[in-house]
């Protein structure tokens, strides 16, 4: 494919990311089980929050909608979003439930295993009437995962937000982001994840991110593969979120890119570069790149 296709500029339209934000506790040493870990570092995370920060780091405009505990960790997370330029007027705080925690072990190969503390956590208790509908309606893109579909009342809030965004003409972006330990069963996960499949305009699975093997894309009219960039991977946390944030930031103002293969390939190459850079540091948020970092990696390849 000719490389004279110019990468589209980062858009100024608002990308609203809906779902959970939590704290990952990551062992200070790689390649050990949780039981063997001598200590843990706290790393803010949660895929939808990572996507919002990824968009902003690339010069785009993002907001986060979700619920945090009215506790030190919840206010710390809201503060991290603000520091990273993400609009926080879609956040509510729960007086009774704690902010979610996850203990994450990094295996020797940089892949992760999870142990979650959510019984129930504040993000699960977001109610439809607590949604900032005005904020959602002002979005060009509404992005969400599947963890918010697991239990009520958050599930109803998710479906309501989805309906409002669709009626407002937002592009709907869905990252199924399967976390089996959080679901009652694999069957229930499949049923719920597929229950909103048809509503999405963009599904990360029809953009299949393959880590070191790049990404595959499938649209009604064309499909193909975009190669990965080879980097020294330390921690894969947040790489997929970085990829999604980069893609959304580049198409938010010009969604015709999704129908134009040469331009889409340029955007996906850029998204791959962003994902790759994110794996070169520990933790998701500190590792999310700026645009110039990604362009440097592309130009060096």
């Amino acid at each position: 494919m000719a490389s004279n296709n110019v990468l589209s500029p980062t858009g100024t339209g608002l990308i609203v990311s809906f779902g959970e934000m939590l704290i990952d506790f990551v062992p200070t040493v790689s390649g050990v089980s949780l039981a063997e870990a001598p200590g843990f570092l706290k790393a803010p995370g949660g895929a939808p929050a990572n996507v919002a920060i990824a968009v902003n780091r690339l010069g785009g405009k993002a907001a986060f909608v979700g619920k945090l505990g009215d506790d030190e960790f919840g206010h710390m997370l809201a503060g991290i979003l603000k520091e990273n330029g993400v609009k926080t007027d879609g956040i509510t705080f729960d007086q009774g439930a704690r902010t979610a925690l996850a203990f994450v072990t990094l295996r020797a190969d940089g892949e992760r295993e999870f142990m979650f503390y959510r019984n129930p956590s504040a993000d699960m208790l977001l109610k439809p009437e607590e949604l900032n509908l005005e904020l959602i309606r002002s979005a060009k893109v509404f992005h969400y995962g599947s963890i918010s579909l697991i239990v009520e009342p958050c599930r109803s809030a998710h479906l309501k937000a989805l309906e409002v965004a669709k009626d407002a003409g937002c592009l709907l972006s869905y990252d199924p982001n399967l976390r089996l330990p959080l679901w009652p069963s694999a069957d229930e996960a499949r049923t719920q994840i597929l229950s909103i499949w048809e509503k999405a305009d963009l599904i990360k699975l029809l953009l299949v991110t393959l880590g070191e093997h790049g990404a595959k894309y499938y649209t009604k009219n064309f499909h193909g593969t975009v190669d990965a960039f080879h980097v020294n991977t330390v921690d894969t946390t947040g790489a997929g979120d970085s990829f999604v944030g980069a893609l959304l930031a580049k198409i938010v103002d010009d969604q015709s890119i999704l129908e134009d293969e040469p331009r889409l390939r340029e955007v996906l190459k850029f998204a791959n570069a962003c994902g790759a850079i994110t794996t070169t540091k520990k933790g998701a948020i500190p590792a999310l790149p700026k645009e110039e970092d990604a362009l440097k990696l592309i130009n060096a390849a």
Side-chain angles (χ1 to χ4, degrees):
M1 203 59 79
S3 59
N4 57 2
N5 299 302
V6 182
L7 178 67
S8 61
T10 295
T12 56
L14 180 64
I15 295 165
V16 168
S17 201
F18 173 90
E20 71 286 348
M21 189 175 191
L22 64 153
I23 296 180
D24 288 341
F25 283 87
V26 187
T28 48
V29 185
S30 291
V32 294
S33 69
L34 291 175
E36 293 162 347
F40 295 90
L41 291 170
K42 60 183 197 296
N50 292 343
V51 169
I53 294 173
V55 165
N56 207 277
R57 190 101 13 115
L58 294 169
K61 205 165 140 207
F64 176 75
V65 174
K67 198 173 206 187
L68 298 167
D70 190 5
D71 51 37
E72 285 213 16
F73 285 156
H75 291 287
M76 179 193 110
L77 292 176
I80 286 166
L81 288 170
K82 282 196 183 107
E83 274 161 34
N84 283 281
V86 174
K87 284 166 72 80
T88 56
D89 38 354
I91 293 179
T92 52
F93 292 92
D94 195 283
Q95 314 282 296
R98 294 281 185 224
T99 300
L101 309 178
F103 284 82
V104 184
T105 143
L106 279 181
R107 299 201 311 250
D109 61 1
E111 282 301 331
R112 298 159 298 160
E113 286 165 7
F114 294 89
M115 183 164 80
F116 292 92
Y117 282 66
R118 300 172 86 234
N119 54 347
S121 52
D123 58 289
M124 300 157 74
L125 301 178
L126 180 67
K127 300 185 189 84
E129 60 270 23
E130 293 173 319
L131 291 168
N132 182 336
L133 299 180
E134 202 179 318
L135 178 68
I136 293 167
R137 288 190 187 106
S138 70
K140 283 268 173 55
V141 172
F142 182 68
H143 175 76
Y144 47 93
S146 68
I147 288 174
S148 38
L149 291 173
I150 299 174
V151 290
E152 292 292 2
C154 186
R155 180 164 195 273
S156 292
H158 185 142
L159 297 175
K160 169 79 172 170
L162 204 59
E163 181 192 326
V164 167
K166 190 136 187 109
D167 290 347
C170 303
L171 180 93
L172 300 187
S173 162
Y174 182 20
D175 176 358
N177 205 23
L178 179 65
R179 294 277 179 270
L180 265 181
L182 294 179
W183 290 89
S185 69
D187 280 349
E188 174 71 359
R190 184 180 299 111
T191 304
Q192 297 296 358
I193 286 173
L194 291 176
S195 70
I196 59 167
W197 198 264
E198 291 303 317
K199 292 188 168 75
D201 300 298
L202 192 65
I203 296 181
K204 195 179 83 174
L205 257 171
L206 301 185
L207 271 157
V208 186
T209 50
L210 302 167
E212 60 192 297
H213 302 296
K216 287 189 167 160
Y217 56 90
Y218 301 88
T219 75
K220 288 188 183 78
N221 306 317
F222 52 79
H223 61 89
T225 305
V226 181
D227 290 339
F229 292 89
H230 293 287
V231 290
N232 184 15
T233 294
V234 175
D235 174 8
T236 58
T237 310
D241 305 326
S242 180
F243 177 96
V244 173
L247 171 70
L248 296 179
K250 291 297 180 190
I251 65 163
V252 62
D253 286 357
D254 184 1
Q255 296 171 15
S256 69
I257 289 168
L258 296 170
E259 310 294 324
D260 180 341
E261 189 170 14
R263 286 162 73 216
L264 179 62
R265 288 183 65 85
E266 286 301 311
V267 167
L268 293 177
K269 187 161 82 174
F270 176 76
N272 270 349
C274 289
I277 290 166
T278 308
T279 71
T280 61
K281 286 189 199 162
K282 265 196 180 178
I285 292 169
L288 295 168
K290 290 189 159 78
E291 175 137 355
E292 55 267 31
D293 305 327
L295 296 178
K296 201 183 289 179
L297 180 60
I298 291 168
N299 293 332

